[in-house]
Each structure stands twice: as structure tokens, then as C-alpha cells.
Amino acid sequence: DHVGVISSHHLVICLETLLFSDVSICTAANAQSCGECIQVSETCGWCSDEFLQVGESKSARCDDLKSLKERKCDEVKIENPRGEVTILKNKPVTVRVGNVKPKLNEITQIQPQKLSLKLRSGEPQTFKLKFKRAEDYPIDLYYLMDLSFSMKDDLENVKNLGTDLMKEMKKITSDFRIGFGSFVEKTVMPYISTTPAKLLNPCSGNQNCTSPFSYKNVLNLTDDGDKFNNLVSQQQISGNLDSPEGGFDAIMQVAVCEEQIGWRNVTRLLVFSTDAGFHFAGDGKLGGIVLPNDGKCHLENNFYTMSHYYDYPSIAHLVQKLGDHNIQTIFAVTEEFQPVYKELKNLIPKSAVGTLSSNSSNVIKLIIDAYNSLSSEVILENTKLPEGVFLSYKSFCKNNVVGTGDNGRKCSNISIGDEVEFEISVTSQKCPSNGKPETINIKLPGFSEFVEVVLNFICDCDCAATGVPNSPECNKGSGTLECGACKCNEGQIGQFCECSQDEVQTNDMDANCRKDNGTDICSNNGECVCGTCICKKRENPAEVYSGKYCDCDNFNCDRSNNKLCGGHGRCECRKCICDANYTGNACECSMDSSTCLAKNGQECNGRGKCECGVCKCSDSKFQGPTCELCPTCPGVCTEHKDCVQCLAFKTGEKKDTCQQECTKYKLEKVTERERLPQPTDEPIPRAICKERDENDCWFYFTLAVQEDDTKQVHVLEKPECPAGPDIIPIVAGVVAGIVMIGLALLLIWKLLMIIHDRREFAKFEKEKMNAIWDTGENPIYKSAVTTVVNPKYEGK
């Protein structure tokens, strides 16, 4: 049954949708007991501790585990039962040692054989299943043949099939048995002619045929190939009227009549040989047969006796019975009907189709090839799953091939002795109505072994078993005290079962839910139940109404930076309770002054006050987080240049007012620049300065401002003045430059003239060579000789 199987990918998507939505699935479920709570999701827990605030209903005990801990529920009192996997039977797969052949009942191909699972809703339980294809595993093969008249030549070739096939199959297994059966058609009109003569010999002309029959078991499964040949050689062809045959009746009987056929719990193969199509469920109405096939054995004296009573089986019915009895089907059909039986193969698990020659001469090769194809593929199937239970498969096949989804159920190209592994996850989405354990089987079609999985559902918390019926704490015995909450008896409601359902709407009850005798019940933020306000739940589970009259909440406090209580406190009854080192209505003011310290270690660089962790500069020209920036101020060196110059050298703009304007300076002269203090020599920040005076002389000094605003100055006693220019080299350089430039211009002019002359001469030479002198006569010259020709002169 494939209805309950889903891929792990789809399961993960479903869980993620619940877990990461805005609304908490735990609180939104409004669970009234621990059992209801743990059925919502695997992430939900129930707090049996006394931690509810005034106005909170008992459903508030159900929340996700993280939220329960944040709400100060004692971890010991959080009910959160988890599922588990217990292996009950774990016999190792069979490993053949040497030539010692294990007994049939000792061969194990699947491990483990039995497990017990505890399932909590939404929590998958995973276990691994190992399969190893056993060596020399026994095989039972039943050859089912169509004996209608068109198969006459095929019967001749099948008569020697027993010994030949036995010989070939011995190469695969030492324990091989073979059986034989035949079929024609239902023995009623219009499938066969029911005239007395045709019932004796349905064939026309001089053909000698046996009476028609539906299905006959000719030979039970045996290891005697000669006996197979002898009995098959005695068979005769029969006949029918229509083209489709009654093969489905025969397949059903072969599958369900285990004792009569002699099937063992080994590999079971059914070879179905025909050159025609098939009748299926509903076709029996043509012969007046309307009862559905009952899927039971009806063999008497090796003949199917109820073909005239029951309709043909449906394909789904055949699939079920073949699967229940672990029979793998090989359809050996002629080329003409290959498309039909290939479609049928797609509907029947663990089946194969081979092309039968016109006279069945290739039947042995067909059977060997089909068996190798079927046995090399392993497919897992499970029996019908309980409602709300889902399975997902993951396969680990040969050559490190990993399959998921539908491919996770199977492995291909498995040879004898190969071992593969499957990972199976079982998930329950809800508890069954009866809460009782369920059993499912996971099996491999074509193999008799299976894995038995017992499903035990966690439908309630452990604390429910210790509940106190008719507890005094539940309004003098009006309910059961279970997992820290009252589970009310029928007809009683309320957090402590304090009133009956008939009293809920009385005016006296509502009066207890009005604050200061006002008109609003529960401040319009809840419902009055038994005189107690049960506060509403909001879409965001983090936002909660509380208080006796639901007049408090934790989401309507002042905000800073678009954060509730500035993100530095918690909201209680619409007031911010600030964290340590924070103050203000919205906890927006930090009391930590470390953010106001400038690089010199002074608070706000000595130019402002620290308020709420931010510097408020005393002068607007100072900026920056610590009042250290002054875009309009001169540099430190430029600011103190004039005072240092007048104090050290008695020069500069302030030389006349030096004593009045340049106070609080402590000046010390040094003889060399190397002796000037460096910034790293002392903890006080120190600036290194280089300034120019009116004589273009550079003077060097360092400046440090001490805590009492005294400027400590170290100045180089002698300014560095530039030396005067050397006139002679300058003049010589200028003259030399002018001469060099003149020579260069003359050389360039001479070069250009040479180039121009050469081009003109070359042009002249070219025109000279191309000149053509006129050699004709002078047009003015006239000759003195005149020549006259007689027109009648004929040259005689």
C-alpha cells in the first residue's frame, strides 16, 4: 500500500512551515491538557510548574520549549516525552562458510527482524535495515501454460523442458523444484462451444483435442525433472471460441492454493506462457457470471471447479494475492502481445516479460534471463499504514549509490552475496483514536522474510498517570489534578473547575471581571469565564495580555530606534523595565560613558558632556562622537605657531603681545631635532610641528596639552633658514642653455633644407626620364615638289 508513503523532502517542508511561521503552533492549539499539547508538535512542551501569571489560562502551559524556559518554568517540570527505537529481534544475515550449506530455516537475508517504535506526533523515528542476498537460495518454479489450440507446436518443445531447465537452474541453486499447470477458458458460452460434440473435442477437422477446462494442476512442485517431462508429454491441446484466454483464473489458483501446489517459503517463480490476451474482472458477465472472484482455493482433483460461478479476478486482486504469497511472475508471451503484457508488468510488482518464440524453443533462456533480472533488484514495500502514519525510505546501494524518495525503496544490480542497506523513517502525525499499538510489516516482494514493526504511540504525558482524581485543588473535587492543571469533570469549566457551564453567562460572574466597576469586561482584552478574566491570545505569541483584568500587556511600551524599550529592557504592564546601565522611558539612555572617551582619554575630549552615552559638545564648532572633529578650526600646530615663535624667538605677529596672549605655555629649547620628544615617549598625546616664519625659515617644535590645560612645548633653538642663491652657476647655466637651444635650432633647420633639396632633385630626375621630345615636321615648312596623278592612268 503506497498511500501513506511520502518523501522526506515533503515532510521537512511541512515541519518548516509550522516551525517558522509567525504564529506559534503550540500556543495557537489552545491545548487543555498535557496529552493534547504533545500531540500538536514535537517542539511543544507542557509546564506542570506553578508559573502562570494572573489572567493566563491553563492552555498557556503549552508552549515551545525555548519559550517555556524564558518564562521561568522549571526545566524539571517541563513535560517533553520523546520517541525511541527498540530492536526486539536482530539475527545477523547469513554468511556462508566454505561449502557448508545452511538449512532453509536458518537462512536470514533481512536484519533486524522485529522492532518496537515509540512515536510522538511530528517526531520521526529512524532505523536501518540490512539485506544480503543469500548464496544457493532454494527456488520453486511453476510453469503455467496456455493449452488452447494455437499453442500446439509450443507444447512439443515444453515436453522436454523439465530436465533441460533443471540442468540450467542447478548452476544457480542446488535446491530447485519445478511444477506444471495448464489453462484454457471458462467452460460456459460464449467462451467455448457447449454442444456435446464440442465439449468432447473442441477442435475442428481431424484434430484430436481434449475437453476444455479452466485450470488444471498437472504436476505439483518436484525436484524430479524426468517426472515433469513424462507428465507434460501426456498433455493434449484443447480449444475455445474467443481469442482472450482465462489465464487470470489460473494465476489466482496457483497463488492461493499453496498446499496443493507445494510452495515452500523460498523464492517462488510463476512462468505464464501464452500467445493470446487475457480476460479480467467484468468479462464474466458475457457468460452470465456476476459474482466477484473470492480469491480462495477451489481445486478438486487438481481442477478449478468454480470457474462457472466466479468472475475473473481483477488486476488489483491478482497483485494483492501474488504479493501476499511472495510470487514473482514471468510472462513468456509472443511478440504480438508484448505491448499488452508490458503494461501489465508495470502494474504487478516483481514481474518480468520475455519474448517467446513462435514454438517456445527459447523458453529456457527466457526464464534464466527473467530470473536474473528479478533477483538483481530489491524493492521494499510496507503493509497498510495506520491513519496519520507516514514512511520515508533512503537506500544505500552498491558503488555508493544513494537513493531518496521513490528511489529510496529499491536497489538494483545486486549479485549473490551483495549487501545493501536502507534507512527508514516512521512519522506519526496524530494518535490513533483507540491509542492502541499497531503493527506494520516491511517486506521485499519475492522473498518470504519481512520486518515486523510494532508502533507504540505516545498519546499522553508520564505525569498523567499520577493524576489525582477529584482533587481538592480543583474546586473541591470537581476535576482531576493532572500535570499541574485541573482536568475538569463533565459539566465543569474554569481554570480550577470552579463553575458549571450553566453559570458562565450570569451577570454576577461578569461583575468580577470589570475593573473599578467600569463597563469594559476584562478591559476588552479577554473573556470572563466563571468570574475570572481569560486574556485573549494575539497572533504574535510573544505579545501577551496579563493582569487580573487583562489590563496589562508587554507590547505597548515606549519605543526607541523602532524597538520596544530600545531593545535594552522588557515591557511589563506597559512600562519599560530597563536593563543595567540603561535608563529613560524607552531605555534609550545608556549610562555607560566609555563610548564618550576621546583618544586622549578625556571625556568628550574636554569639550562637552556625556549624556546617554553620547557626547553633547559645548561649542558647536566641535563635532564627532567625542568632540574631536573641528572642520573650521586651524590645525594644532597652526593654532599655537605664533605663541611658540614669540616665546622662543621674539618674532612673529604676537611679539608685542606675547606676555598677555601666550600664557600657560611651558617652553623648553633643544639643540638638535633628534632630541625633540616623540609621541610615543609619554602617555600624553603630543603633536610634532613644522612651521615657516616671515623670513622663510623653518622652526620645529612639539606640543602636548596637559590636564591643567598647560601647553608643554619643546622647540628647536635654531630655525632652519634656506641659504641664498649662487648667482654665477645660475647665469652660466642660463647662457649655456640659450647657446644649446640656438645650436639645436640651426641643426634642425639645416636638416630640413637637406631633405627638401633631395626631394626636389629626385623630382627633377623623374620628370627628365619621363620627357618625350616631338620629332614631327615644322608646320610652317612647305615642300617645293608637287605630285599630280592622272585619273585615267591604268598602270600600263
Side-chain angles (χ1 to χ4, degrees):
D1 180 38
H2 306 290
V3 174
V5 180
I6 63 171
S7 67
S8 59
H9 173 69
H10 292 159
L11 181 61
V12 168
I13 289 177
C14 293
L15 290 176
E16 286 181 348
T17 302
L18 292 174
L19 291 176
F20 297 103
S21 61
D22 292 336
V23 180
S24 169
I25 56 176
C26 303
T27 55
N30 197 29
Q32 298 298 310
S33 66
C34 188
E36 292 180 17
C37 179
I38 63 173
Q39 298 306 314
V40 177
S41 169
E42 61 169 320
T43 62
C44 298
W46 176 273
C47 181
S48 58
D49 196 8
E50 295 298 329
F51 83 121
L52 295 181
Q53 299 181 12
V54 176
E56 287 188 310
S57 65
K58 59 184 174 183
S59 64
R61 295 180 178 273
C62 182
D63 208 340
D64 60 88
L65 302 178
K66 182 180 178 181
S67 297
L68 289 176
K69 293 176 183 178
E70 291 176 350
R71 292 168 60 193
K72 310 302 182 185
C73 178
D74 189 351
E75 290 190 33
V76 180
K77 296 296 185 70
I78 296 178
E79 298 292 330
N80 182 33
R82 312 309 295 180
E84 62 180 7
V85 177
T86 304
I87 298 178
L88 304 178
K89 188 176 181 181
N90 194 28
K91 185 179 178 182
V93 292
T94 302
V95 178
R96 185 169 180 175
V97 180
N99 294 322
V100 179
K101 181 181 179 181
K103 295 181 180 178
L104 179 59
N105 58 358
E106 296 177 350
I107 297 177
T108 302
Q109 298 183 102
I110 304 177
Q111 179 188 359
Q113 294 79 39
K114 186 175 182 180
L115 304 97
S116 175
L117 272 59
K118 281 188 177 180
L119 297 177
R120 177 179 168 178
S121 294
E123 181 189 20
Q125 295 299 321
T126 303
F127 62 91
K128 291 187 176 181
L129 186 150
K130 184 188 298 182
F131 172 80
K132 183 176 183 180
R133 187 176 167 191
E135 300 179 37
D136 199 21
Y137 196 69
I139 299 174
D140 284 354
L141 184 146
Y142 192 86
Y143 196 91
L144 183 60
M145 186 174 181
D146 176 8
L147 285 188
S148 58
F149 186 78
S150 59
M151 294 286 287
K152 181 178 180 180
D153 55 344
D154 300 81
L155 180 60
E156 296 300 322
N157 286 311
V158 174
K159 289 179 179 180
N160 296 320
L161 178 65
T163 52
D164 295 341
L165 183 58
M166 188 78 67
K167 181 179 178 181
E168 291 296 324
M169 293 300 290
K170 287 292 184 181
K171 298 177 183 178
I172 300 175
T173 175
S174 59
D175 189 354
F176 175 73
R177 299 196 310 166
I178 189 172
F180 184 82
S182 57
F183 66 91
V184 181
E185 187 54 276
K186 288 184 180 296
T187 56
V188 296
M189 283 287 290
Y191 313 108
I192 66 168
S193 175
T194 56
T195 60
K198 290 294 184 180
L199 286 176
L200 293 176
N201 184 2
C203 300
S204 58
N206 296 325
Q207 299 293 335
N208 186 20
C209 298
T210 188
S211 299
F213 57 90
S214 176
Y215 161 68
K216 178 171 63 174
N217 176 32
V218 178
L219 176 64
N220 293 348
L221 291 164
T222 178
D223 56 4
D224 189 348
D226 293 330
K227 184 176 181 181
F228 180 94
N229 292 348
N230 292 335
L231 285 175
V232 173
S233 63
Q234 297 174 16
Q235 302 307 304
Q236 287 183 293
I237 293 296
S238 185
N240 60 314
L241 296 179
D242 60 343
S243 177
E245 315 294 1
F248 276 15
D249 274 341
I251 293 176
M252 177 63 75
Q253 293 303 301
V254 172
V256 299
C257 298
E258 286 191 334
E259 294 184 6
Q260 291 86 337
I261 302 298
W263 291 114
R264 299 176 295 173
N265 280 330
V266 297
T267 299
R268 299 176 175 181
L269 300 178
L270 170 61
V271 180
F272 183 84
S273 176
T274 184
D275 64 349
F278 48 83
H279 284 295
F280 51 88
D283 288 353
K285 294 179 180 179
L286 295 173
I289 303 172
V290 295
L291 285 179
N293 195 286
D294 63 352
K296 296 180 180 180
C297 181
H298 296 288
L299 287 185
E300 293 183 13
N301 297 322
N302 289 323
F303 281 92
Y304 177 40
T305 58
M306 302 297 286
S307 68
H308 63 287
Y309 192 74
Y310 289 116
D311 194 5
Y312 301 99
S314 65
I315 296 176
H317 201 180
L318 278 184
V319 170
Q320 177 192 349
K321 292 300 180 180
L322 290 172
D324 291 345
H325 296 276
N326 298 308
I327 296 175
Q328 303 176 71
T329 310
I330 300 173
F331 295 104
V333 297
T334 54
E335 183 71 31
E336 179 184 357
F337 288 93
Q338 280 286 309
V340 175
Y341 283 90
K342 283 183 178 179
E343 290 295 326
L344 181 61
K345 166 191 171 295
N346 294 332
L347 301 175
I348 301 179
K350 294 295 285 185
S351 62
V353 177
T355 303
L356 190 68
S357 62
S358 58
N359 58 2
S360 297
S361 58
N362 66 332
V363 68
I364 293 179
K365 183 179 184 304
L366 185 153
I367 293 172
I368 298 296
D369 291 345
Y371 169 74
N372 290 332
S373 173
L374 290 172
S375 60
S376 65
E377 184 177 57
V378 174
I379 302 175
L380 291 184
E381 287 188 353
N382 52 270
T383 55
K384 186 177 180 180
L385 298 174
E387 186 178 359
V389 176
F390 303 95
L391 264 65
S392 64
Y393 295 88
K394 186 176 183 180
S395 60
F396 301 88
C397 307
K398 287 176 62 177
N399 302 321
N400 298 320
V401 176
V402 179
T404 56
D406 290 338
N407 292 327
R409 305 162 60 91
K410 60 186 177 181
C411 283
S412 303
N413 301 321
I414 300 177
S415 304
I416 294 175
D418 286 344
E419 186 176 295
V420 294
E421 198 171 75
F422 296 88
E423 188 176 87
I424 304 171
S425 292
V426 184
T427 306
S428 173
Q429 294 298 333
K430 65 177 183 178
C431 257
S433 56
N434 56 13
K436 295 181 180 180
E438 300 277 356
T439 300
I440 61 171
N441 294 329
I442 298 175
K443 59 181 183 177
L444 289 80
F447 298 89
S448 58
E449 300 174 61
F450 60 89
V451 180
E452 182 180 353
V453 183
V454 181
L455 307 179
N456 299 285
F457 301 92
I458 302 176
C459 297
D460 214 336
C461 302
D462 295 337
C463 59
T466 59
V468 182
N470 302 319
S471 171
E473 296 187 28
C474 300
N475 192 34
K476 301 178 182 180
S478 298
T480 301
L481 184 61
E482 183 181 288
C483 300
C486 286
K487 191 174 183 179
C488 299
N489 297 335
E490 187 176 356
Q492 296 295 121
I493 58 174
Q495 187 163 346
F496 301 101
C497 311
E498 61 269 29
C499 63
S500 65
Q501 292 179 339
D502 298 333
E503 300 173 345
V504 172
Q505 300 299 329
T506 63
N507 293 329
D508 291 337
M509 291 292 178
D510 291 345
N512 294 328
C513 298
R514 296 189 181 96
K515 184 178 181 180
D516 299 331
N517 294 323
T519 57
D520 294 336
I521 296 178
C522 298
S523 305
N524 291 327
N525 295 324
E527 295 180 0
C528 186
V529 179
C530 298
T532 302
C533 284
I534 304 300
C535 300
K536 294 178 181 178
K537 294 182 181 296
R538 291 175 61 84
E539 288 188 2
N540 186 349
E543 299 178 354
V544 179
Y545 289 111
S546 59
K548 181 179 179 180
Y549 301 102
C550 301
D551 53 339
C552 292
D553 62 61
N554 64 349
F555 54 87
N556 273 323
C557 291
D558 292 335
R559 295 175 178 266
S560 176
N561 294 327
N562 202 29
K563 292 182 179 179
L564 192 67
C565 297
H568 304 299
R570 65 184 184 277
C571 182
E572 291 186 2
C573 204
R574 303 182 181 179
K575 289 186 179 180
C576 285
I577 307 298
C578 299
D579 297 338
N581 291 328
Y582 285 92
T583 186
N585 292 334
C587 303
E588 75 281 7
C589 186
S590 173
M591 300 172 66
D592 183 10
S593 61
S594 61
T595 56
C596 295
L597 294 179
K599 294 179 181 179
N600 58 9
Q602 292 181 322
E603 187 175 286
C604 298
N605 199 29
R607 293 167 176 157
K609 293 182 179 180
C610 186
E611 296 180 3
C612 297
V614 178
C615 282
K616 301 294 183 181
C617 302
S618 55
D619 193 331
S620 59
K621 70 179 181 179
F622 295 106
Q623 300 176 7
T626 54
C627 302
E628 292 181 280
L629 302 178
C630 184
T632 61
C633 296
V636 174
C637 296
T638 305
E639 182 181 355
H640 298 281
K641 165 191 170 184
D642 293 335
C643 283
V644 173
Q645 187 178 358
C646 76
L647 290 172
F649 308 111
K650 308 300 182 184
T651 60
E653 296 179 0
K654 295 184 178 182
K655 65 181 179 179
D656 298 328
T657 59
C658 192
Q659 297 298 327
Q660 293 80 20
E661 298 187 24
C662 300
T663 59
K664 289 191 176 183
Y665 279 87
K666 184 179 179 182
L667 189 137
E668 183 179 341
K669 294 183 179 182
V670 297
T671 57
E672 299 177 0
R673 283 176 57 183
E674 290 75 11
R675 293 187 178 183
L676 287 173
Q678 299 299 311
T680 56
D681 293 346
E682 298 177 13
I684 301 175
R686 186 178 296 276
I688 299 177
C689 302
K690 177 184 177 183
E691 294 295 333
R692 179 183 293 178
D693 61 13
E694 61 272 13
N695 297 320
D696 287 336
C697 294
W698 295 97
F699 61 96
Y700 298 86
F701 64 94
T702 63
L703 175 70
V705 181
Q706 297 180 341
E707 292 183 1
D708 58 354
D709 203 29
T710 299
K711 290 81 175 175
Q712 186 179 29
V713 180
H714 291 75
V715 60
L716 187 63
E717 63 180 2
K718 291 183 180 181
E720 292 183 357
C721 297
D726 193 350
I727 302 300
I728 295 175
I730 294 175
V731 172
V734 171
V735 172
I738 293 172
V739 172
M740 293 299 293
I741 292 173
L743 290 175
L745 292 174
L746 287 172
L747 288 174
I748 293 172
W749 175 80
K750 183 62 177 176
L751 180 62
L752 292 175
M753 291 303 294
I754 292 173
I755 294 173
H756 179 266
D757 290 345
R758 288 184 176 179
R759 285 182 176 175
E760 290 295 323
F761 182 76
K763 182 178 180 181
F764 171 75
E765 288 291 326
K766 183 177 180 182
E767 290 178 352
K768 179 181 176 182
M769 293 180 66
N770 293 336
I772 300 175
W773 302 106
D774 189 6
T775 56
E777 294 182 353
N778 189 342
I780 304 176
Y781 171 78
K782 291 185 178 181
S783 176
V785 179
T786 301
T787 303
V788 178
V789 179
N790 187 355
K792 292 187 176 183
Y793 174 72
E794 296 179 356
K796 295 181 179 179

